[in-house]
């Protein structure tokens, strides 16, 4: 059982007890997410494909030159402190921080010329492909997982279609947005920390003031629910649904009964709960996702700690259970100071987790059906600042992909001598997301409708990356 807490803490707790199981369900519903996720509108079409996507957000913006685009001939004051190393594919080089990925480079895609970053510290563009301001007047562009909820969601689903496990800064946690599709397709966030209650209270302040004092008791009801003494899970769902209804005066909630029943099905089917319970995993697999500490000592990786790599395992377990889109995050690549010391910790942790995930998927025969993408909101400056850090650099970003039947050993794009500009084959964020839709069997050129019935091309910018198809 995993517990995500405020900040970057990440721990592996023993057992998936009944109380924790109820907390996982309650947080999604009381956070106004689970019935919303299940309420795809009547125009949605169900798909039979079980292709899935795992999105890994490298929170803060990873430095491209310190990971996948070494420039040993750059001026000394600009080049990476980390030596280039060869890989399993002749002609493809990484830095010494990425030895495990170097060993499976023939299965990976390296995005060296990623352009079009919004330059903002959140994962919104990494979820939708679009900048935050696009169509903001009607809610903005929806995240890929929310579109999957809308198009492929079915009342018979035993697990959520979109599970968002991104942690870290608040803007990152709130990046997987439904946009113009509305709250009925929000992701399921099984966040079982106490902070959910604080965020709920904060988010509901304006709405409660508008509705009047009478509804404050309902907020108090949720806050005081004796979750550890509730035996009837369906009763819990009904009480929380009553709160949802009290906050909605548009009539939308009147159509949610069916989907609340499905929420109950998900929480009691065992498939989702089992996927979240790492105590059910083979100890050898746990070891596969657990970095080794130096002999006789401890090692500080990030503010999340080395167990952050278990998030990669949790993502695999969720897609294996049938979840179509899973988002996780790894913090914190915002290296404005002490870039080298911090990357000595972050680089190997990412290398370890990504390698563990890809090799595990392959060993289980899942890699052909699961597309994995790791990227961040922007890159870092070639120039090192006075604090030994690298600052924000939206002009060039990096990413890595694998699986989904894509060819491996592929480098997309070239960059200049300092890894600051794309000089060949620029790839836009929208191109990558369009490719993810293609991988899921969804035409990125299809029409979808906002809540007012207005049509929109799913991806009116961006093209499927031809080299990967």
């Amino acid at each position: 059982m995993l517990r995500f807490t405020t900040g970057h803490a990440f721990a592996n707790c023993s057992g998936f007890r009944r109380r924790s199981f109820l907390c996982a369900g309650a947080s999604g519903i009381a956070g106004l997410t689970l019935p919303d996720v299940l309420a795809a509108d009547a125009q949605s079409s169900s798909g039979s494909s079980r292709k899935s996507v795992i999105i890994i957000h490298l929170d803060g913006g990873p430095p491209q030159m310190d990971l996948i685009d070494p420039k040993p001939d750059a001026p000394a004051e600009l080049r990476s402190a980390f030596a280039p190393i060869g890989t399993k594919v002749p002609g493809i080089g990484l830095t010494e921080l990425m030895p495990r990925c170097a060993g499976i480079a023939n299965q990976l895609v390296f995005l060296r010329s990623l352009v079009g970053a919004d330059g903002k510290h959140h994962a919104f563009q990494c979820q939708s492909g679009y900048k935050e301001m696009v169509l903001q007047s009607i809610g903005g562009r929806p995240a890929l997982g929310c579109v999957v909820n809308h198009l492929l969601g079915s009342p018979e689903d035993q697990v959520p279609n979109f599970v968002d496990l991104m942690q870290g800064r608040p803007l990152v946690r709130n990046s997987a947005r439904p946009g113009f599709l509305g709250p009925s397709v929000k992701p399921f966030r099984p966040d079982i920390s106490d902070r959910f209650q604080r965020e709920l209270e904060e988010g509901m302040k304006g709405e409660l003031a508008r509705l009047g004092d009478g509804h404050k008791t309902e907020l108090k009801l949720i806050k005081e629910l004796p979750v550890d003494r509730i035996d009837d899970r369906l009763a819990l769902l009904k009480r929380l649904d009553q709160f949802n209804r009290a906050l909605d005066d548009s009539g939308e909630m009147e159509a949610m009964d069916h989907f609340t029943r499905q929420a109950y099905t998900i929480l009691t089917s065992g498939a989702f709960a089992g996927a979240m319970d790492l105590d059910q995993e083979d100890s050898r697999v746990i070891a596969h996702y657990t970095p080794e500490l130096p002999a006789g000592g401890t090692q500080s990786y990030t503010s999340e700690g080395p167990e952050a790599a278990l998030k990669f395992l949790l993502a695999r377990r969720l897609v294996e259970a049938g979840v179509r889109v899973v988002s996780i995050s790894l913090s914190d690549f915002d290296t404005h100071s002490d870039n080298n010391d911090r990357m000595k910790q972050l680089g190997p942790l990412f290398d370890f987790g990504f390698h563990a995930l890809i090799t595990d998927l392959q060993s289980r025969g899942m890699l052909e059906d699961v597309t994995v993408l790791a990227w961040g909101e922007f890159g870092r400056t070639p120039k090192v600042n006075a604090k030994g850090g690298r600052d924000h650099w939206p002009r060039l970003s990096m990413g890595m992909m694998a699986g989904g039947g894509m060819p491996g050993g592929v480098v997309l794009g070239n960059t200049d001598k300092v890894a600051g500009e794309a000089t060949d084959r620029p790839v836009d964020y929208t191109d990558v997301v369009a490719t993810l839709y293609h991988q899921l069997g969804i035409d990125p050129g299809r029409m979808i409708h906002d809540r007012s019935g207005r049509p929109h091309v799913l991806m009116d910018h961006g093209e499927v990356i031809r080299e990967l198809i």
Side-chain angles (χ1 to χ4, degrees):
M1 174 66 186
L2 295 178
R3 181 175 298 275
F4 297 101
T5 56
T6 303
H8 302 298
F10 182 87
N12 181 20
C13 304
S14 62
F16 196 107
R17 305 292 182 248
R18 182 173 63 84
R19 183 180 186 277
S20 296
F21 171 61
L22 287 172
C23 286
S27 65
I29 297 168
L32 308 180
T33 59
L34 185 53
D36 293 339
V37 160
L38 306 173
D41 64 35
Q43 296 181 355
S44 299
S45 59
S46 298
S48 59
S49 170
R50 297 312 303 183
K51 301 289 186 180
S52 56
V53 166
I54 296 173
I55 300 175
I56 303 158
H57 180 65
L58 305 178
D59 174 28
Q64 62 278 8
M65 66 289 292
D66 292 326
L67 295 172
I68 70 166
D69 196 6
K71 298 293 182 180
D73 296 328
E77 67 274 15
L78 301 180
R79 67 171 173 259
S80 174
F82 305 109
I85 60 173
T87 71
K88 198 168 185 178
V89 180
I92 297 180
L94 305 179
T95 77
E96 61 184 315
L97 299 180
M98 304 283 285
R100 290 176 176 82
C101 287
I104 59 168
N106 60 317
Q107 300 179 64
L108 307 181
V109 175
F110 301 95
L111 304 174
R112 285 183 175 170
S113 58
L114 191 59
V115 298
D118 202 1
K120 297 182 179 180
H121 256 322
H122 53 59
F124 179 78
Q125 192 171 22
C126 293
Q127 291 288 314
S128 69
Y130 286 90
K131 296 182 179 180
E132 189 176 26
M133 292 297 294
V134 176
L135 297 180
Q136 192 175 53
S137 63
I138 58 172
R141 285 280 178 174
L144 174 141
C146 295
V147 173
V148 170
N149 271 338
H150 177 68
L151 296 178
L152 302 182
S154 166
E156 286 73 42
D157 291 333
Q158 297 291 302
V159 294
N161 279 285
F162 179 22
V163 176
D164 175 20
L165 299 177
M166 287 190 293
Q167 302 294 307
R169 66 189 84 225
L171 286 177
V172 171
R173 296 199 307 267
N174 191 35
S175 290
R177 307 172 196 171
F180 62 63
L181 291 177
S184 65
V185 295
K186 281 184 177 180
F188 178 42
R189 294 189 177 103
D191 187 335
I192 53 177
S193 71
D194 292 336
R195 79 147 192 271
F196 121 80
Q197 179 64 45
R198 295 194 299 273
E199 292 181 350
L200 173 64
E201 292 182 12
E202 185 66 27
M204 289 293 101
K205 279 181 180 178
E207 190 70 9
L208 289 170
R210 185 177 68 81
L211 292 172
D213 291 340
H215 295 289
K216 293 181 180 178
T217 57
E218 283 149 350
L219 184 63
K220 188 171 183 285
L221 169 73
I222 288 183
K223 191 173 182 179
E224 296 178 355
L225 276 174
V227 178
D228 55 342
R229 294 194 302 248
I230 292 177
D231 294 320
D232 185 347
R233 298 182 181 115
L234 184 56
L236 172 63
L237 291 173
K238 288 180 177 178
R239 294 180 77 182
L240 295 172
D241 184 59
Q242 289 172 0
F243 174 72
N244 283 354
R245 291 174 182 277
L247 294 180
D248 184 78
D249 58 2
S250 67
E252 181 181 352
M253 293 302 298
E254 295 178 4
M256 300 285 282
D257 285 339
H258 177 69
F259 301 103
T260 300
R261 287 196 297 272
Q262 189 196 3
Y264 171 69
T265 300
I266 285 176
L267 292 176
T268 58
S269 70
F272 178 72
M276 292 290 291
D277 184 5
L278 290 187
D279 287 344
Q280 296 184 20
E281 188 59 76
D282 188 301
S283 60
R284 292 169 296 182
V285 178
I286 296 289
H288 179 71
Y289 283 88
T290 304
E292 293 184 5
L293 297 176
T298 60
Q299 183 170 345
S300 173
Y301 282 83
T302 71
S303 54
E304 294 178 290
E307 284 188 331
L310 290 175
K311 285 192 267 188
F312 293 79
L313 171 57
L314 186 58
R316 189 272 289 164
R317 288 178 60 84
L318 287 169
V319 298
E320 192 172 33
V323 178
R324 296 177 187 268
V325 180
V326 179
S327 291
I328 65 174
S329 58
L330 184 63
S331 300
D332 180 0
F333 289 85
D334 197 23
T335 59
H336 289 285
S337 62
D338 301 321
N339 177 83
N340 293 345
D341 288 341
R342 293 172 67 180
M343 288 307 299
K344 286 178 184 177
Q345 302 172 26
L346 279 164
L349 181 57
F350 168 59
D351 176 60
F352 183 93
F354 197 82
H355 172 271
L357 176 60
I358 301 307
T359 53
D360 189 18
L361 289 170
Q362 183 184 37
S363 70
R364 294 170 183 274
M366 297 172 61
L367 193 56
E368 286 291 306
D369 291 325
V370 182
T371 301
V372 182
L373 165 66
W375 59 352
E377 57 265 43
F378 40 66
R380 312 302 295 187
T381 56
K383 182 179 180 180
V384 177
N385 64 31
K387 297 180 180 180
R390 296 187 186 275
D391 298 315
H392 300 179
W393 192 251
R395 291 156 70 173
L396 187 72
S397 311
M398 60 150 279
M400 291 171 58
M401 302 179 73
M406 297 183 296
V410 174
V411 173
L412 286 176
N414 292 310
T415 59
D416 62 16
K417 65 180 182 179
V418 295
E421 303 281 352
T423 58
D424 176 60
R425 186 58 175 102
V427 177
D428 195 87
Y429 278 77
T430 53
D431 298 329
V432 178
V433 174
T435 303
L436 294 183
Y437 280 120
H438 176 88
Q439 294 293 92
L440 289 166
I442 297 173
D443 179 4
R446 70 171 295 165
M447 287 288 183
I448 57 174
H449 294 78
D450 62 30
R451 296 182 68 191
S452 299
R454 289 170 293 191
H456 303 272
V457 177
L458 179 55
M459 296 295 297
D460 62 357
H461 289 82
E463 299 179 353
V464 175
I465 301 172
R466 60 184 181 274
E467 294 92 337
L468 304 185
I469 303 306

